[in-house]
Amino acid sequence: MAVDTGNNTLIGKPQSRIDGPVKVSGQARYTSDYSFSGMLYAVPVGATIARGKLLSLDTKAAEAMPGVRAVFHGGNIGKLYRASFLMADLVLLDEKRPPLADNDINYFGQYIAVAVAETFEQATAAADAVEARYAAERPVMNFDLLRGTELKQSDHRGDAVKALAGSPVKVDEVYSTPVQTHNAIELHATVAVWEGGNCTLYDTVQGVGNHQLVMTQRLGIEREQMRVITRYLGSGFGGKISAWGHCCLAAAAARNLDRPVKLVLSRRQAFESAGHRPATQQRVQLGASAEVKLVSLQHDYVNTTAMVEDFTEYCAEASPFLYSTANMSSSSALARRTIGAATSMRGPGAVPGSFALESAMDELAYQLRVDPVALRHRNEPALDESMGIPFSSRHLTEALNAGAERFGWSQRTPEVGSMKRDGLTLGWGVAVAAWGAGRFASSATVDLRADGTARVSCGTQDIGTGTYTVLAQLVGERLGIAMDRVEVAIGDSNLPAGPLSGGSLVTSSLVPAISRALDEASQRLVTAASLLPDSRWSKARPEDLEVVKGRLGLKANPSGPALSFSEVLQQTGVRSLTGTGLSDGTILEKPKLSKHCFSAQFAEVTWQPEIARLRVSRVVTVIDSGRIINPKAGRNQIVGAVVMGVGMALFEGTEYDPRKGVALNSNLADYVMTTHADTPDIDVIFLDCPDFEVNELGAKGIGEIGMAGVAGAIANAAYHATGIRVRELPIRIEALLKRNQTGRELKKEPWQTHPTTKTKPQPHRANDSPDAPS
Amino acid sequence: MDPRTTLLDCLRETIHLTGTKKGCDHGQCGACTVHINGRRVNSCLTFAAMHQADEITTIEGLGEPGRLHPMQAAFVEHDGYQCGYYTSGQIMSAVALLKEPCGPSDMDVKEYLGGNICRCGAYPNIVAAVQAVRRHSLL
């Protein structure tokens, strides 16, 4: 039976989170909140060089300190295995080298030992007392990534090089984004408890199932010996998908000492050894005709990766299908640097990629002297030109129109610095983005209980996105019961295998699994009818019965007598009845339709040239991501993504000392993130167009798409206000000061309000952009 | 008590009041905010041994499910969180703010809560929750 979408009371309505009261009262238990009798504390020791060899370790002083139970290192921690990468299991692991595996040092902070003591203070002091000798080599730290790097082509159609050469209007620029660190406020933590060869890990992870698989391999035990629990996660943003080295250190220390061990990374350690978004350098070349049509698009990029790990930040993921163009190509390469392993961070690839492509599109709009929104409309594709297949749904045109209307875009005057308000110069910019939609393979069970409650269980987790609440909505809706009658059990690898919280795929994966679990439970309720005392039910043929909103009735008489599931179970003496549902994954399938979500971002900045002060004052974000199950949590998530996008545009970047390879701003004061006071007015529009190709409710993901496009829109707005095209994020005051005194008269040719075929193209000259080096 | 033990670690690891969170251990994120004698303090920046006779209020002392403090209830109503990890600190700061000379505007509240980072970016909802409580308490 399909989910009733027409007459629902819970789905699509703003719902307060069911886990709200425990979160606001300090009762929600996060990983580091767990403590056990006899528990020890572990503190890792990190290398103080970025590249070279560990020659020797002296742990004697540390071992003799009060309360210290052990200092483990490569020589005494026991075997830690390299995890295999099995696509069939979709195991995600971005640092494959096990900790302490050899004496090679590949990045600053790489673990060389771990101190374990009775208290956190004792373990911290012991870790500080471990002495290491190194043979240091020069770190590899330059971020001019494209220079001298050979790129490998990944996508192409037509002949982009030739088409560009023949284009009357061209853009050819390089855009850079820095290393960014997730900085979930919850520190990475592992509490490891062994009981007779079985290990329970309370861990800060975005996928309890993925973590179970990886840690089983790392520790050399069987799957049934490993249980992973993450009841609440203090957010992750991709940084808590991989099982980082400290998880192994905690688990191995607890096994060796036969006592529970708690290990909480410091904020500095999280910067060094628990992942980051890699730095990128991207060259975008666009060629356009006089008719404002893209004739060539090339997107070539290099991202940093660790010396012994491969991680690709797919910056050009959306470039093959975002716009219509006959000639397209992209290529990429990795640049090995002596920094820790890179990993996924919110909107991996799409976020830095959109900044580059959408900045280039804005530059093209200025060259063509056409409105940036009109330029995008003009190049809207009818189908996914990269695969030659239709989109399952794509409402980017509507998104741009809705955003432009809400933002007041028609009031925009395109000349740089031409808009003023309250003595400030305004800049208005736009950018669009795309993110994949689909499903992870998932299972879930739903129990209907005689007391009228239901229990849904799934080995997924809520990382702050509202998964607890969405599950209660899905089950409550179908059974016609209030959300507080639904018990939600998640965050435990013992539960039916559920989706990883990554890629914005949890809700779209769970919708079919829950629906099928409820189908099976409903079918069993029909079967149970034969046991009912009333012959009206027990004599009825199963095919004549149906369950609607949790009530058993006759198909032929929908408004007639019906029994609630609780009445059926009570009258048949059954306590509970279970249905299991599976949904298939889409990750490895060959698509017949191109499934994506889209966004359009409109940003306003204010600019005070006298003091070179740039602020983001307003963002309108339009999300085309199918049906929104809980608009209250959904809107919050998009607002949060915009907040993070403001940080990306103006503040964030991990800075490394090129001589030592150490992250210099590895704390929350020097790695600047958006605070309350930096937050602009944020307006969120959900187009709410269901995409039934993804699942029966038409729900797609929203976690990543809300961030993609924000930095590009802000950078474009900054150009509109200042005349300075900043192609390296974050947009720092230095970049704005550099050109502040040399404001340049802009060309006075007329602007096109709508693209026409009469445009006179502006010839491209390399030194013709307002911010060309003078 | 180990003289090196911060008030934060004492609350969490010794007394097992784990509602107060550690986000940076440097006084930079505000997740560990508690009230000491009615004033908000980053509990990671002060040693436990310095507070023998002080009155300390943590999130657990404000209210619990079923009898939430008005500020806690407002955070639920306005969805003033996502992951909830930094929420204790935001709420402890917000409750302290009610007695501080904070101006009436949203921008005033944003400045007064500037030391409490929410990486999920639920800031507008947090400000809405705080302002709803302030408006109610004026009536």
Side-chain angles (χ1 to χ4, degrees), chain A residues 16-17 20-21 23-28 30 32-33 35 41 120-122 125 181-183 185-187 233-235 237 262 267 345 463-464 632-633 635-637 639-640 643-644 652 667-669 673-677 679, chain B residues 2 4-5 9 12-13 16 18-19 21-24 28-29 31 59-60 63-65 68 72 75-77 79 81-88 90-91 107 110-111 113-114 116-117 119-127:
Chain A
S16 291
R17 287 167 211 254
K23 281 183 170 174
V24 298
S25 58
Q27 294 190 3
Y30 298 81
S32 64
D33 298 344
S35 282
Y41 292 81
F120 171 66
E121 292 77 16
Q122 290 167 338
T181 302
H182 306 76
N183 282 322
I185 298 299
E186 180 193 31
L187 295 161
L233 187 75
S235 76
F237 312 115
K262 179 187 287 192
R267 180 58 62 186
M345 181 169 166
I463 68 169
K632 191 169 189 170
R635 180 183 180 283
N636 195 349
Q637 206 177 346
V639 166
V643 167
M644 197 177 272
E652 292 188 35
N667 62 76
L668 298 188
M673 305 191 293
T674 311
T675 69
H676 271 287
T679 303
Chain B
D2 190 319
R4 297 168 296 190
T5 303
D9 286 325
R12 291 182 50 77
E13 305 300 331
H16 300 300
T18 54
K21 303 301 188 198
K22 183 185 282 190
C24 69
Q28 298 168 336
C29 75
I59 189 74
E60 290 91 344
E64 58 190 25
L68 294 175
Q72 293 171 314
F75 268 63
V76 176
E77 171 62 26
D79 210 38
Y81 45 56
Q82 285 173 38
C83 75
Y85 189 81
Y86 43 74
T87 304
S88 302
Q90 297 274 356
I91 291 174
M107 200 58 221
K110 288 177 173 189
E111 291 290 347
L113 292 182
N116 290 87
I117 294 176
R119 185 56 158 163
C120 297
Y123 294 127
N125 289 359
I126 293 170
V127 172

Side-chain angles (χ1 to χ4, degrees), chain B residues 84-111:
Chain B
Y85 189 81
Y86 43 74
T87 304
S88 302
Q90 297 274 356
I91 291 174
M92 295 310 285
S93 270
V95 169
L97 176 154
L98 298 175
K99 294 179 192 157
E100 294 170 6
C102 176
S105 73
D106 286 1
M107 200 58 221
D108 294 324
V109 173
K110 288 177 173 189
E111 291 290 347

